[in-house]
């Protein structure tokens, strides 16, 4: 390089330089053209009306057994024994959980409440159920919920996080990347973000719900519990609440469900907030048909008229379950 | 000119003091690190979650905060909406005169909001046999003895009477007889009977009555006439809404209330006094001038009643003596004596009753005379 | 023995003080980041999240002026104050994480040329600016307007991390810091300020520390009393000015030391080829300029600016009669004027808030309240059984109330819960009220018992002739605590049909809604309370 600003060289470029330059520039031009054409999108699309696809959940239910009951009602003084008694009445945990199964338990932890207020799944119930699964040889037990209140606080304050640590279970928080869209033909529910991460590679799914009053749909029990597996704009569900809840019975076929009727939230549901809202009823309902379980819970625990509970009727009509719990093979036990 | 990147000079005379201070400072940093680590581990979990002992303060229910209200002017959901004017009693009367089949106290209360001047002030509370203690404490065993099923209670405000309210209790028993049982056990002697139900009375504080298999208490917050009038109105509406079912208790209303010993009414299903034909009998005891009397009554069809009377007469012929007596007020009378005790039994159409096993005949006879001559309300 | 020998050879032999200093800076920088990171319900446990703010003597000093007290952990600031009186402004180059950030940026991106570095590290008159700023802020504080947090390095750095840096990082690497992405209004302004001060290091090394930092000015003023300082031996000195090559404070170690500017970094000692510099106890007082570089007239001007600034900001009425409905302070916050006396805008509360409801206010609470926390129910809601914001607040702007006190349970059941505002329906936007559509999500999520939101069931005939039974919701102001979950969950997302405004907050009698907080609406209830 010369220090001067004026280049004294007067000759033009050589032939070699010329070909080289031409090749480089030509490639750039061709590249720009090719790239442009390759990326060209000549058609428009209509935002919000694209064709939607999504996953669907496998059937987690086990086969019905001829001689084993499908609905168990256990009464007792303490949760763990009573849950064991209820599961035993269904034929024991081995009926459902095989060795090396990966199990997902879905508690209802929607609010940041202490367990005594009856608004969330009780830690003793979770402990009992998780222990049963582990005893049956489950490889891993995953706990997950997408609460209404902030997830960390909900799991902490309900006491479920402590159980997760105690039994070395796996807690999955509803992180943004844990959702995938589900696609189904529900009455209202068709395409919706599903909290899918905890269900990945899962063999068995158990619903563990408290028995609660609900301001809008009258009761939140095992069917309504699956609300916590969904994400997105759930606050629109309330416009068709009964249809949505009956759609849950279509969306997921759990291995079995447990309805915890020890501290029943009789009023001010689903949040509760006072001990005066809670009634001790010392009952555990377990069953393979969540429609029947809810139907039993509504009439026998919440002691209300089943006519009010439209979603159970809808699910029954759609043959997603049997609301006439008396028709099921049922067993009542005292723990 | 190249720029020197490396330090051109390196100090080498590092004094012992400098090394010592440096070491102390590093140890200090380690100390800070460790103590922060330690502090992080120890904490009070109540900072982050609720101390469950503080929940005790929430054990009492909060009154007067209903969750879902029904539209004031509309009947239950889903039905055709008709608007009732406040003073339009025709609709009111309609519902009044046509008792619906009510299976729960809840629906009684619900419709209360709809047609009358009473407004729910609290949520409806329910108590089952297991929880009845919570509401009425020591009185519960008596109720349970009569096969108590369910208690529904609620507090209502009274339109136009601010600050006053009514407490309504509906105790549901398994049968009307048992409802009568608990009703009669709690009955206040000498209270004024009610005209709108067979079994009921007005006390100082409110209205107590039995209708069907329910025993209802409507207790006023104040003894003023205005509030008691409202309580009566409320009781009438409630009574009208519960289906009349007197199966088995027809005879109970016969028992006179004068001089009755409180809580002495009992129901004997069969074989009263060892007599095979005295069934479905109501018995009460009375205190008259220091003497105790047992009076019973039963209701059946006239021929059975006649048969029963004859069996009583036969009994005394076999095991004691029969003393002849004139009919009183047109009623056939049988007086019997057995083991020094006297019984006076009367027959009035389908109604059989009398004093059994009294120690003193004149008192027993006088009692029956007074009873039979007294005009029925 | 061999360990000791190894230790002596490799560690002790080269244990120069500047190396210890770098370790210390790294330690405190990492500690700061660690404490920022653990300010989260998942990790907080017993960690002293506000340690740096509590150590900050300016925070303690300024809040002591405004409130007349030193709140809880702020007493720790004495740990820094006392050594500063003896040693000088050592905090700036040994502990301050923000200073470390600037030093590191200047080291990475600053000039490498020795001569240019020497020039850039000479004392500038601009360094007097920070004293001007400090005096303005303190003058305002004397009247009860605490503004040191705008520029105090710990507050500023914490705020930058909370509102701009961590959420930004979480955008690029999702699910690292938050379960659900956090958003903060006006985060970009705070981010740009961070970029500006960091970027300025390329032009003037440690521009912020030397010329802006009010904490530096405060500690610089305290350095007047120090009995140790860097001392130059004029007889040994060859006037090569190499001591300026790495000088952090631009305090002129090559001549009479400007004591108030020296960061006690010891780099000058390290760089002196003739060992003319030393850190000396009771050095020759003639070799120093002890006074901060600001004249008395400037002090007077700064005081006037501070007082006038306070007066102008206060006269907008933003903290008084003209308060905005959006200024919904977190539960446990003190009454607004007291809040402005205490809040240092560190935004730790915003970091710890589990629902993202806390947002740095921009001008909602007036010029004085810039970056103070307010609740924006569109972003989140106030979790019922949660008092984390008060837990981490170092100055008591949000008092460290317990869950029991907040919810009015247990011992506090007679006084009732802390209320932050009141919810109001906008019936024109509410689905059951305006659009014949069932909804009442608000009632479902209302956390109080009995629920503050109740509904009335009505049967209406829709335009298609179909009869529909739906519930129209109402608010019971005697029960509403202003948590705003109703607003957050309302399906009318963009401008909810139920919105919380600040009225009815229990912290201020001026802003109450119901007489006695609504506790007496039902005297009957009290009369009928079971014994």
């Amino acid at each position: 390089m010369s220090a001067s600003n004026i280049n004294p060289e007067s000759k033009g470029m050589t032939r070699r330089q010329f070909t080289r330059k031409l090749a480089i520039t030509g490639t750039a031009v061709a590249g720009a053209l090719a790239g442009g054409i390759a990326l060209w999108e000549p058609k428009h699309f209509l935002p919000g009306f694209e064709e939607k696809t999504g996953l669907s959940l496998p059937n987690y239910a086990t086969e019905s057994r001829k001689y084993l009951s499908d609905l168990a009602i256990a009464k007792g003084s303490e949760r763990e024994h009573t849950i064991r008694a209820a599961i035993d009445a269904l034929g024991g945990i081995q009926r459902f959980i095989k060795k090396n199964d990966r199990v997902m338990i879905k508690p209802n932890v929607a609010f940041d409440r202490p367990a005594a207020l009856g608004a969330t799944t009780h830690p003793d119930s979770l402990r009992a159920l998780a222990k049963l699964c582990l005893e049956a040889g489950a490889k891993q037990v995953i706990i997950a919920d997408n609460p209404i209140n902030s997830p960390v606080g909900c799991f902490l304050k309900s006491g479920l996080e402590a159980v997760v640590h105690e039994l070395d279970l796996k807690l999955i928080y509803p992180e943004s990347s844990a959702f995938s869209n589900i696609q189904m033909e529900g009455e209202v529910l068709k395409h919706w973000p599903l909290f899918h991460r905890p269900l990945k590679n899962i063999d068995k799914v158990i619903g563990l719900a408290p028995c609660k009053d609900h301001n809008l749909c009258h009761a939140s029990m095992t069917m309504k519990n699956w609300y916590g597996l969904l994400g997105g704009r759930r606050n629109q569900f309330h416009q068709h609440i009964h249809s949505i809840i009956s759609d849950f019975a279509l969306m997921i076929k759990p291995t079995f469900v447990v309805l915890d009727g020890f501290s029943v939230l009789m009023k001010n549901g689903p949040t509760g907030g006072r001990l005066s809202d809670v009634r001790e009823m010392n009952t555990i309902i377990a069953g393979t048909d969540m429609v029947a379980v809810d139907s039993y819970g509504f009439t026998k625990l919440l002691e209300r008229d089943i006519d009010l509970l439209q979603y159970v009727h809808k699910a029954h009509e759609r043959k997603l379950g049997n609301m006439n719990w008396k028709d099921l093979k049922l067993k009542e036990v005292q723990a | 000119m190249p720029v020197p990147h490396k330090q051109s000079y390196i100090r080498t005379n590092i004094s012992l003091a400098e090394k010592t201070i440096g070491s102390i400072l590093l140890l200090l940093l380690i100390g800070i690190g460790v103590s922060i680590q330690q502090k992080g581990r120890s904490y009070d979990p109540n900072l982050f979650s609720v101390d469950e002992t503080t929940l005790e303060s929430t054990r009492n229910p909060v009154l007067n905060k209903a969750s879902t209200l029904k539209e004031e002017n509309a009947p239950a959901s889903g039905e055709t909406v008709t608007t009732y004017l406040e003073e339009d009693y025709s609709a009111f009367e309609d519902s009044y005169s046509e008792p619906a089949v009510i299976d729960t106290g809840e629906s009684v209360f619900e419709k209360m909001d709809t047609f009358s001047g009473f407004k729910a002030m609290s949520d409806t509370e329910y108590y089952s046999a297991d929880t009845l203690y919570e509401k009425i404490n020591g009185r519960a065993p008596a109720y349970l003895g009569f096969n108590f099923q369910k208690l529904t209670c609620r507090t209502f405000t009274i339109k136009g009477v601010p600050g006053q309210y009514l407490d309504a209790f509906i105790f549901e028993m398994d049968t009307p007889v048992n409802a009568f049982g608990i009703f009669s056990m709690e009955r206040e002697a000498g209270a004024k009977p009610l005209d709108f139900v067979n079994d009921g009375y007005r006390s100082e504080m409110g209205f107590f009555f039995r209708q069907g298999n329910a025993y209802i208490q409507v207790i006023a917050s104040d003894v003023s006439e205005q509030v008691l009038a409202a309580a009566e109105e409320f009781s009438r509406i409630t009574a009208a809404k519960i289906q009349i079912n007197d199966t088995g208790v027809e005879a109970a209303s016969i028992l006179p209330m004068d001089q009755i010993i409180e809580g002495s009414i009992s129901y004997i299903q069969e074989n009263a006094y060892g007599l095979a034909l005295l069934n479905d009998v109501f018995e009460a005891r009375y205190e008259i001038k220091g003497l105790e009397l047992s009076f019973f009554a039963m209701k059946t069809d006239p021929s059975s009643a006649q048969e029963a009377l004859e069996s009583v007469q036969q009994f005394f012929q076999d095991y004691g003596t029969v003393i002849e007596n004139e009919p009183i007020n047109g009623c056939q009378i049988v007086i019997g004596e057995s083991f020094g005790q006297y019984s006076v039994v009367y027959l009035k159409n389908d109604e059989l009753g009398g004093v059994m096993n009294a120690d003193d005949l004149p008192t027993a006879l006088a009692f029956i005379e007074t009873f039979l001559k007294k005009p029925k309300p | 023995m061999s360990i000791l020998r190894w230790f002596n050879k490799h560690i002790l032999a080269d244990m120069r003080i500047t190396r210890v200093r770098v370790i210390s800076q790294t330690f405190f920088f990492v500690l700061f980041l660690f404490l920022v990171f653990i300010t989260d319900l998942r990790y907080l446990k017993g960690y002293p999240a506000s340690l740096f703010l509590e150590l900050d003597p300016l925070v303690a000093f300024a809040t002591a002026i405004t409130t007349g007290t030193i709140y809880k952990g702020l007493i720790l600031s004495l740990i820094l104050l006392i050594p500063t009186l003896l040693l000088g402004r050592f905090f700036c180059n040994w502990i301050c994480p923000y200073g470390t950030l600037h030093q590191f940026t200047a080291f990475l991106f600053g000039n490498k040329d020795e001569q240019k570095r020497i020039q850039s590290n000479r004392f500038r008159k601009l360094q007097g600016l920070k004293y001007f700023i400090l005096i303005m802020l303190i003058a305002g504080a004397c009247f009860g307007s605490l503004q040191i947090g705008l520029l105090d390095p710990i507050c500023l750095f914490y705020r930058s991390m909370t509102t701009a840096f961590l959420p930004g990082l979480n955008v690029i690497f999702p699910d690292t810091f938050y379960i659900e992405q956090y958003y903060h209004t006006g985060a970009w302004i705070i981010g740009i300020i961070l970029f500006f001060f960091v970027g300025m290091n390329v032009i003037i090394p440690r521009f912020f520390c030397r010329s802006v930092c009010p904490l530096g000015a405060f500690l610089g003023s305290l350095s007047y009393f120090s009995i140790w300082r860097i001392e130059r031996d004029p007889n040994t000195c060859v006037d090569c000015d190499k001591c300026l090559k790495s000088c952090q404070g631009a305090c002129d170690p090559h001549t009479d030391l400007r004591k108030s500017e020296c960061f006690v970094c010891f780099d000058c000692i390290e760089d002196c080829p003739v060992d003319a510099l030393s850190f000396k106890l009771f050095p020759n007082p003639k070799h120093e300029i002890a006074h901060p570089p600001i004249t008395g007239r400037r002090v007077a001007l700064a005081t006037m600016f501070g007082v006038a600034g306070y007066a102008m900001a206060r006269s907008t009425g933003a903290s008084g009669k003209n308060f905005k409905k959006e200024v919904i302070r977190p539960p446990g916050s003190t009454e607004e004027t007291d809040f402005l006396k205490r809040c240092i805008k560190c935004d730790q509360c915003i970091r710890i808030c589990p629902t993202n409801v806390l947002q740095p206010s921009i001008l909602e609470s007036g010029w004085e309240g810039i970056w103070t926390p307010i609740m924006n129910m569109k972003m989140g809601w106030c979790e019922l059984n949660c008092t984390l914001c008060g837990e981490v607040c170092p100055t008591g702007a949000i008092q460290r109330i317990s869950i029991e006190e907040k919810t009015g349970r247990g011992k506090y059941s007679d006084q009732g819960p802390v209320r932050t505002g009141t919810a109001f329906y906008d019936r024109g936007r509410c689905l059951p009220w305006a659009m014949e559509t069932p909804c009442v999500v608000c009632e479902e999520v209302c956390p109080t018992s009995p629920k503050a939101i109740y509904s009335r069931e009505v049967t209406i005939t829709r335009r298609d002739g179909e009869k529909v039974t739906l519930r129209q919701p109402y608010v019971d102001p005697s029960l509403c605590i202003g948590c705003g979950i109703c607003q957050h969950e309302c399906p009318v997302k963009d401008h909810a049909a139920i919105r919380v405004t600040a009225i009815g907050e229990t912290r201020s009698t001026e802003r109450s809604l119901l007489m006695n907080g609504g506790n007496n609406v039902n005297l009957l209830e009290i009369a009928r309370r079971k014994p």
Side-chain angles (χ1 to χ4, degrees), chain A residues 175-217:
Chain A
E175 295 179 326
S176 329
S177 59
F179 289 83
S180 314
N181 284 320
I182 193 171
Q183 186 72 43
M184 56 183 278
E185 270 312 306
E187 197 178 307
V188 191
L189 197 61
K190 299 194 190 303
H191 180 85
W192 207 268
L194 174 79
F195 183 19
H196 187 237
R197 184 174 293 161
L199 290 169
K200 274 186 183 151
N201 305 317
I202 283 291
D203 303 303
K204 302 287 157 59
V205 172
I206 305 171
L208 173 58
C211 186
K212 305 198 283 179
D213 167 54
H214 192 282
N215 72 314
L216 184 60
C217 63

Side-chain angles (χ1 to χ4, degrees), chain B residues 76-364:
Chain B
S77 62
E79 294 176 27
T80 320
V81 185
T82 323
T83 312
Y84 301 102
L85 293 174
E86 240 172 68
E87 306 304 328
D88 180 3
Y89 273 77
S90 59
F92 177 84
E93 293 293 339
D94 276 356
S95 77
Y96 202 109
S97 57
E98 202 182 280
V101 181
I102 300 300
D103 50 355
T104 62
E106 158 95 273
S107 40
V108 173
F109 288 159
E110 257 179 30
K111 302 204 171 165
M112 195 62 72
D113 276 5
T114 314
F115 295 107
S116 59
F118 305 102
K119 260 189 104 166
M121 189 166 104
S122 67
D123 276 345
T124 307
E125 293 173 37
Y126 303 96
Y127 297 89
S128 66
D130 295 334
T131 55
L132 185 64
Y133 286 92
E134 293 170 23
K135 190 69 184 174
I136 64 169
N137 307 325
R139 281 161 59 216
Y143 283 76
L144 299 181
F146 286 100
N147 263 335
F148 166 83
Q149 302 291 311
K150 185 176 168 188
L151 164 62
T152 311
C153 51
R154 199 168 193 176
T155 306
F156 292 85
T157 55
I158 307 158
K159 199 175 187 176
V161 193
Q164 298 302 335
Y165 52 87
L166 301 174
D167 275 325
F169 299 82
I170 300 181
F171 296 90
E172 286 170 77
M173 304 291 154
D174 57 349
T175 56
V177 177
N178 274 324
F180 178 81
I182 187 66
F183 160 76
S184 56
M185 197 169 137
E186 292 213 330
R187 171 144 50 186
E188 216 176 293
K192 199 180 149 202
L194 301 180
D195 57 3
F196 54 86
V197 282
N198 288 336
D199 304 312
Y201 62 93
R202 171 187 174 157
S203 85
E204 201 186 6
M205 280 306 288
F207 291 76
F208 301 79
F209 58 95
R210 179 202 64 83
Q211 183 77 303
N213 59 347
Y215 168 35
I216 296 109
Q217 304 176 342
V218 179
I219 299 168
S221 62
D222 189 38
V223 293
S224 75
E225 214 33 60
Q226 203 181 7
V227 180
L228 282 174
E232 179 171 2
E233 185 70 4
F234 188 97
S235 305
R236 280 174 184 277
I237 298 170
T238 306
K241 282 182 183 166
I242 300 175
Q243 197 160 45
I244 298 168
N245 180 357
D246 285 345
T247 317
V249 289
E250 295 88 345
S253 53
I254 301 166
L255 299 175
M257 284 300 126
D258 292 341
Q259 294 166 302
I260 193 167
I261 296 173
E262 241 183 282
S264 68
I265 297 180
S266 60
Y267 166 70
I268 305 160
Q269 215 164 8
E270 47 193 25
N271 287 334
Y273 313 108
L275 296 169
L277 293 180
L278 297 192
N279 297 328
D280 290 321
V281 162
F282 286 86
E283 186 212 44
R285 278 172 295 123
Y286 298 83
E287 198 179 329
I288 293 151
K289 295 170 200 150
L291 281 174
E292 234 188 70
L293 283 183
S294 271
F295 178 85
F296 81 95
M298 65 180 272
K299 248 188 161 152
T300 171
D301 55 287
S303 61
S304 305
Q306 182 69 41
E307 251 178 70
L309 182 73
E310 279 162 20
S311 81
V312 172
Q313 195 162 6
Q314 190 63 46
F315 172 81
F316 284 112
Q317 274 167 10
D318 294 347
Y319 301 104
T321 47
V322 178
I323 303 162
E324 289 295 333
N325 199 66
E326 294 284 320
I328 303 169
N329 217 8
C331 298
Q332 203 182 332
I333 298 287
V334 169
I335 300 174
E337 182 274 345
S338 176
F339 302 107
Q341 291 189 314
Y342 298 91
S343 302
V344 182
V345 180
Y346 73 92
L347 173 71
K348 190 164 123 192
N349 299 328
D350 57 351
E351 183 183 309
L352 184 77
V355 172
M356 291 301 274
N357 306 332
D359 293 323
D360 182 30
L361 180 60
T363 316

